[in-house]
Each structure stands twice: as C-alpha cells, then as structure tokens.
Amino acid sequence: MKLREHMQIGRRAIKHMFLMSRRYCFSTVAGSIVTSLMPYVPIYFSAKLIDGLAAGEGIEVLALYASLTVGLVALLSLLNGWITVQNDLGSKEQARGLDWVYAEKAMGMSYASIEDREVNLLRERIRYESQTGYGLYWLIHFFRALAGYVVQIAASVSLSVSFFAVSTVPLWQKLAFVGAVITTMLVNILLTSKWGKITSAFYSKCVDWNLIDAKFSSYVDDYRGGKDIRLYGLAPSLTDFDLGTQMSVWKQEAKMELQCMGLRLLDTLMNYGLQLGVYMLLIAAALGGGISVGSIARYVSCVMLLLTAAEGAATAIQSLLVNNQYLKRYFEYLDIPNPMYQGSLTVAKRDDNEYYIEFRDVSFRYPNTESYALRHVNLKFRVGEKLAVVGMNGSGKTTFIKLLCRMYDPTEGEICLNGVDIRKYDYDEYMALFSIVFQDFQLMAFSLGQNIAASAAYDKARAEECLERAGFDQRLSDMSKGLDTALYQHFDREGVEISGGEAQKVALARALYKDAPFIVLDEPTAALDPVAEYEVYSRFNQIAGDKTAVYISHRLASCRFCSEILVFDSGNIVQRGNHEELMADESGRYHALWDAQAQYYAREAG
Ligand code: ADP
C-alpha cells in the first residue's frame, strides 16, 4: 500500500470514528495525555526536593515542593477518573455504532450480495478482525498510544535538556550522551519493527483459524449438529480435526514467541547497557561538581522514559500500517454498491390492480457461477391469473421468483412491469407489489401479531382474519395471549415454540396481511401435514382472492387447480398450459413427471 492510500484510509477511518462517538475519540486521547504526564510530576519535584534538601532550603520551600508533588498528582488522578468514565461511556457508544454500521449495511445490501459467498467471507473476516482488536478499535488504540508517547518524548526531552547547559561537563561527554541515546533508540526501533512484523503476520493468520474455530463450534454447539454427531459417531473425527488445527496454531505461536524472545532480549540488554552508561556519565559529571544529586535521578528516568516512548511510537506506527490493511477490507465491505436502488420511476398505484408482467428472453447466472440457472425465458402474465410453476428440484423455479421480485437482475434480457423494465422503478415501490412466502422464510422472535404485520403497530382484526385464512385459527385460540404471544424464546422467556407447519401458516398469513397485488407461494405446503396441505390447495382460490398468484411446487397434483401451469426443466420453460392440455402431450415433460409421481402414489396405495 502506498503512503497516499494509507493517508486516505486513515482520514476516512477517523471521520468514521468521530461519527460513531466523538466522546470516545476525545476521551481516549485526553486520557492518554494525562496518564503520560503523571510520572513526570514526581520526577521533576523529587529532584527539586532533593536539591533543596542538599542546599539547606527552609521548611516552607520543601513543604511547597512536597505539596505540589502530591497535589498535582492528585489533581491529574481526579481528572483521569472523570476521563475514564467518559471513555467507558464512549466505548459503549462506539461498540453500538459499529454494530449498527454492520446491521445497516447488511440490511441495505442487495439480496445478491447477501447470498454472495465472497461477500459473506469478507463480512465474517472483518467481524473477526474487529473482534480481535483490529480495524477501527486499533486505530483508537493507536491514537491513545501515540498521544502518550508524544507527551512522554516531549516531557523527557524538556526535563533533560538542561544537562547540555552545564558548563562543567565537557563537550565530548555531552556528545557521547546524545550519541548513545540516539544509537540505542535506533536499534530499539529496528528490533521493534522486526518483531512487530513477525507478530502481525501471526495475528493475521489467527483470523483464518478463528473462522475455522467458529465453524467448528457451530457444529458442536448447535442442536442440529448434535443429532448427527451422536447418530454417526462423529465426535472422534471432529476432535481429531480440532486438535490438528489447535496443534498447528500452537506450533506457529511457539515459533513466533521464540523469535520475538531473542529480539526482546537484545533490546533489553541494549537498554540496560545504556542506562549503566548514562549513570556513569552523570556520576562523573556530579563528581566534577557539574550537576546536582537530584538531577542524576531525573536525567536517568527521563532517558529511560524517552527510550520506552520512542520504541512504543515505532511499534504503534508499524502496527498502524498493518492495521490499515484491515481497515481497507472494512471499507471495501462498506463500499459494496447496491445496484438495486438506481431506479426512480414510481409504480402507479392502480385500484384495478391492472398490472402485467413480462419476461423478455431472460437468462440468468448466479454471481461467480458458470452455468445458467435460467435460459431464454419468455413469459407474459396478467393480473388475476393463477399460475403454477412446476419442475424437478434445481430446474429454476425459485430463481424465476427471485428474478420476478428483483432479488437479482437478469444477466441477459429484461423483465417488464406494464411494458417498462423493472430496473427503472423505485426498488421499494416495486417490492411493495409482492407478497411472497419463500421455502426458507424467516419468522422473527417477536410477537405473533408483529410477525404477521411486519410492524409494531397493526390492525388486530385484520391480522386475526389473515391467520384464519392461513389455517392458524385453531392454534391461535390455544394461545392465552393471542396475537401478543411471543414466538420462540430468543427475546422472551414466555415465547412459544411452533412447529415447521405452523410457522409456514404464519408466514402465509404474513403474506396475506401485506395485501400486495401479487402473491407468490414457493412450496407452501412442504412442511404441512397432508390434511393441512389439502386445505391450502382447496382454499387456494379463496386465499389468493383476485390477486395474481404464482404457486410453485414440485408436486404436480397440488397444481392441478391452477388455470395455467408452467413446466420448468433445466432453466427453461418447456411447456405451458392447463392440466388437461399438458397431459394431452404424451411425449411432454409434464406427462413424464405426472406419470412418475402417479406411479409412486399408485404403488403406495397398492
Ligand atoms: P428449484 O427452485 O427449481 O429447485 P432453483 O431455482 O433453486 O431450483 O435452482 C436452479 C439452479 O440454480 C440450481 O442448479 C441451483 O443449484 C442453482 N442455484 C440456486 N441458488 C443458487 C445460488 N445462490 N448460487 C449459485 N447457484 C444457485
């Protein structure tokens, strides 16, 4: 990464942090300045006190030095206490802000990005990186450290600069003092940057291991994995896998620690060597009558603090450069565009619901895949039509629906609403036209009513009516809190567990409550028992009312009641017509599928 890019990322990250919590930014830097200043107060006044004692100063002056030492330290401690409280509050604001940034980004992304494997890997990675302290958190840590080191360097230099004004100390001794300090500082910086590189390379690999570990834990902890682990005796192989990963991490960590230990040892030896040299030099100067006894301790402390600060600043800058790689990834994620929001045409609200949809030679490939999930689909359907979509698993039925409701845009061709490409419409307005129950629908752990209405405020009578139409009325009457009953127990201990079939009915009621002109049911009976399934078919016309309905199923019998049936095969619409017309074509796909399923039922019956 070039310096220019480092600067750009840094500037953007600071702005971003400020937006989340100014309090956190300011209190972190202020806290660091105050805590770094604190040790210099006793260093300065103790030297004054010792020199005062040696010079036989009166009790008033000595008492003043003692009071100033204690008073100033106390004052700084109090200030620091207040700053710490602000910093704690700020860190919560910052954490909440970051959570919200992630949530807002995920919810505002196009569905294509949400399903995209690369995007998911990127998201997982940056979340782990931020949990291990990289990214924005590290940036704040950098400013905290840097502010402290700058104060430490400035204070150390200003408290030791008087050494160079002492006329009795020969020039060569002064030059030797500066030379020794600068050489040690440079070697320290070199060693620090070397071990900084070793550790950051290791910690960057840790993110990969953490991702593996998280997946492993999800297998072990989750009840779904629990069944298979027990039934198929998977525990030993899972344990072996985990042990293998842990051992490899442990070996690399041990290697990294050993390398760093050698460098640290060298660094420590250099520091103590310098300390000894400085002591000797100062003792010689003191014996020559050039400097006071109190100043010896002050100069030695300042030199050692200067070294620590320079070393710390070098480490901080080195890690800042590494951290910018993490921040780059973080912004890459935030910058993933959402092409769905580009259209601005309003969808005319029509009381007659007179909308028609047309697929014009539509082909589609999922991102990062080679083969087409849909190929040259041409289709027109009008309001009020009851359309069934049938075909084998993987033939493209769900993909067809995802394109219809703009979860994805076609790779080739166009889909039009009333003759206009749907990409030109305002995305939210277009989405409002559809009520869809996907196979993998998701209910939230809120109240039943909120789930139906997808909102906290809702029309109770309408919600109940929709539940009744979806066949959930019996179960609703068993719930003592009715629509206020919480589903699941994630947010409410009194929440109720509902079965897959019941959940499917609730999802159906939610679609009915939305009251959109198009209703799409993707395998709506997959989790229902045969009785409930029969109920949904027989009441389908009543459920769908005057809406345009698309009913997807791989069970042909459940689609007979639809006026129009589309037969999908390998991403193509291979046949279209009502049941009788399609059956009349004995060489057609529909006939073959029907026969296969009918034979199965006949054998079952036999
Ligand atoms: P159906 O609903 O008829 O069972 P789908 O529309 O779900 O079929 O799938 C059609 C094809 O697209 C299949 O080959 C499937 O593997 C592929 N496919 C579905 N979803 C994705 C996805 N998110 N990424 C890549 N390929 C997908």
Side-chain angles (χ1 to χ4, degrees):
M1 221 195 277
K2 294 219 171 78
L3 184 65
R4 204 183 136 96
E5 200 179 354
H6 277 297
M7 302 286 285
Q8 276 171 350
I9 290 179
R11 261 205 304 274
R12 184 170 173 193
I14 293 167
K15 266 195 211 156
H16 199 65
M17 293 286 293
F18 255 61
L19 279 178
M20 284 187 227
S21 173
R22 275 163 196 268
R23 189 202 302 261
Y24 189 48
C25 299
F26 285 126
S27 61
T28 302
V29 174
S32 173
I33 293 175
V34 171
T35 41
S36 309
L37 271 178
M38 260 200 269
Y40 290 93
V41 175
I43 289 176
Y44 182 75
F45 285 107
S46 305
K48 284 256 178 220
L49 200 64
I50 295 169
D51 288 347
L53 277 170
E57 295 273 12
I59 181 75
E60 303 83 21
V61 178
L62 299 177
L64 180 69
Y65 288 150
S67 317
L68 276 173
T69 312
V70 177
L72 279 175
V73 170
L75 207 68
L76 288 175
S77 298
L78 283 175
L79 184 61
N80 196 37
W82 180 76
I83 293 174
T84 307
V85 172
Q86 295 302 317
N87 196 249
D88 283 349
L89 293 175
S91 80
K92 306 281 180 309
E93 277 174 1
Q94 154 77 24
R96 263 202 318 273
L98 194 58
D99 277 350
W100 182 238
V101 165
Y102 282 123
E104 208 175 24
K105 180 66 198 171
M107 289 189 287
M109 261 182 182
S110 69
Y111 182 75
S113 299
I114 284 285
E115 250 192 5
D116 189 329
R117 199 180 111 79
E118 297 297 321
V119 173
N120 282 321
L121 283 177
L122 181 63
R123 182 192 309 108
E124 267 182 55
R125 172 165 275 273
I126 58 170
R127 292 213 79 155
Y128 267 105
E129 284 168 355
S130 104
Q131 278 162 17
T132 36
Y134 286 106
L136 290 174
Y137 284 113
W138 205 93
L139 191 73
I140 271 290
H141 173 71
F142 167 77
F143 282 111
R144 171 188 294 137
L146 196 69
Y149 294 136
V150 168
V151 170
Q152 228 170 305
I153 291 170
S156 300
V157 170
S158 56
L159 288 188
S160 45
V161 79
S162 57
F163 173 74
F164 299 96
V166 180
S167 57
T168 47
V169 179
L171 183 64
W172 74 265
Q173 280 189 4
K174 288 177 186 166
L175 290 178
F177 180 84
V178 176
V181 172
I182 291 180
T183 315
T184 316
M185 225 152 84
L186 288 178
V187 175
N188 278 350
I189 291 173
L190 212 76
L191 293 174
T192 309
S193 85
K194 208 163 169 53
W195 88 57
K197 273 191 192 130
I198 298 173
T199 48
S200 48
F202 173 77
Y203 289 120
S204 140
K205 274 196 248 163
C206 277
V207 176
D208 295 321
W209 295 320
N210 281 342
L211 288 172
I212 294 175
D213 195 48
K215 196 79 228 158
F216 175 79
S217 304
S218 75
Y219 287 154
V220 176
D221 300 339
D222 198 290
Y223 70 94
R224 278 165 296 202
K227 291 196 284 289
D228 297 309
I229 290 172
R230 282 156 187 77
L231 273 168
Y232 295 101
L234 287 171
S237 41
L238 279 170
T239 311
D240 284 351
F241 170 80
D242 192 42
L243 270 179
T245 317
Q246 303 278 2
M247 278 313 287
S248 131
V249 177
W250 189 87
K251 275 186 198 152
Q252 298 196 46
E253 187 160 13
K255 189 175 154 200
M256 184 260 313
E257 289 294 354
L258 274 176
Q259 285 173 333
C260 289
M261 198 177 77
L263 294 170
R264 280 197 197 110
L265 197 69
L266 206 63
D267 182 73
T268 313
L269 285 177
M270 288 274 312
N271 285 354
Y272 283 117
L274 178 78
Q275 195 173 9
L276 189 65
V278 171
Y279 263 123
M280 292 303 170
L281 197 81
L282 293 173
I283 289 168
L287 288 176
I291 57 168
S292 66
V293 184
S295 303
I296 296 180
R298 190 174 87 197
Y299 290 143
V300 173
S301 306
C302 285
V303 167
M304 295 322 287
L305 284 170
L306 179 68
L307 282 183
T308 328
E311 202 175 304
T315 318
I317 291 169
Q318 148 90 26
S319 314
L320 177 76
L321 300 182
V322 173
N323 189 58
N324 277 352
Q325 312 278 355
Y326 295 94
L327 281 173
K328 187 178 174 188
R329 259 197 295 278
Y330 171 74
F331 288 126
E332 244 169 52
Y333 175 71
L334 293 193
D335 291 343
I336 293 173
N338 184 343
M340 297 297 175
Y341 284 121
Q342 282 161 14
S344 57
L345 218 64
T346 49
V347 174
K349 296 265 177 300
R350 303 186 62 122
D351 290 338
D352 56 3
N353 271 351
E354 205 36 67
Y355 299 103
Y356 71 90
I357 294 271
E358 190 177 358
F359 277 59
R360 294 185 184 158
D361 201 24
V362 170
S363 297
F364 177 71
R365 254 185 304 136
Y366 280 98
N368 310 316
T369 59
E370 291 300 314
S371 55
Y372 280 86
L374 287 185
R375 205 80 179 105
H376 301 302
V377 172
N378 285 290
L379 170 76
K380 197 167 177 178
F381 57 96
R382 291 202 150 272
V383 69
E385 265 187 293
K386 305 279 178 284
L387 202 69
V389 177
V390 302
M392 303 272 283
N393 279 339
S395 58
K397 304 184 296 293
T398 303
T399 307
F400 166 72
I401 298 305
K402 284 183 187 164
L403 259 63
L404 173 67
C405 65
R406 266 207 93 189
M407 296 288 167
Y408 288 92
D409 282 332
T411 315
E412 290 155 29
E414 58 177 2
I415 303 170
C416 297
L417 169 73
N418 292 356
V420 177
D421 190 324
I422 59 173
R423 281 174 281 213
K424 295 193 178 142
Y425 288 108
D426 176 277
Y427 186 69
D428 293 331
E429 285 198 20
Y430 182 74
M431 292 295 260
L433 295 178
F434 295 92
S435 282
I436 303 186
V437 183
F438 282 105
Q439 286 176 52
D440 52 355
F441 62 86
Q442 172 85 64
L443 298 178
M444 311 287 167
F446 299 129
S447 75
L448 175 64
Q450 284 175 357
N451 267 286
I452 302 297
S455 147
Y458 59 91
D459 179 341
K460 286 198 166 198
R462 204 168 118 213
E464 278 167 359
E465 186 222 318
C466 293
L467 281 166
E468 191 195 330
R469 278 164 67 197
F472 195 82
D473 42 339
Q474 186 59 47
R475 181 75 169 92
L476 178 65
S477 61
D478 293 342
M479 292 175 159
S480 58
K481 288 193 190 166
L483 291 172
D484 293 327
T485 310
L487 297 187
Y488 315 116
Q489 294 186 340
H490 306 306
F491 305 147
D492 185 341
R493 298 295 288 257
E494 289 180 18
V496 297
E497 285 300 321
I498 53 173
S499 71
E502 286 167 343
Q504 206 155 28
K505 289 178 182 174
V506 175
L508 183 59
R510 177 172 65 182
L512 295 174
Y513 188 94
K514 190 174 172 190
D515 197 24
F518 291 86
I519 181 158
V520 182
L521 307 179
D522 186 358
E523 299 280 4
T525 57
L528 299 185
D529 57 56
V531 177
E533 185 181 2
Y534 174 73
E535 247 180 70
V536 171
Y537 302 153
S538 51
R539 292 197 299 154
F540 184 69
N541 281 334
Q542 181 203 337
I543 287 172
D546 58 351
K547 299 179 191 323
T548 309
V550 183
Y551 187 94
I552 305 177
S553 182
H554 65 274
R555 278 191 256 185
L556 270 57
S558 61
C559 302
R560 274 184 76 163
F561 60 88
C562 286
S563 49
E564 182 96 40
I565 301 170
L566 300 177
V567 185
F568 271 78
D569 189 31
S570 310
N572 296 295
I573 298 181
V574 289
Q575 278 182 290
R576 182 176 183 173
N578 63 31
H579 174 71
E580 284 69 30
E581 287 162 359
L582 294 172
M583 282 302 281
D585 180 0
E586 291 191 5
S587 59
R589 187 81 191 129
Y590 187 84
H591 196 282
L593 285 171
W594 181 271
D595 263 2
Q597 292 185 5
Q599 272 173 33
Y600 170 73
Y601 286 115
R603 257 208 313 278
E604 287 271 296

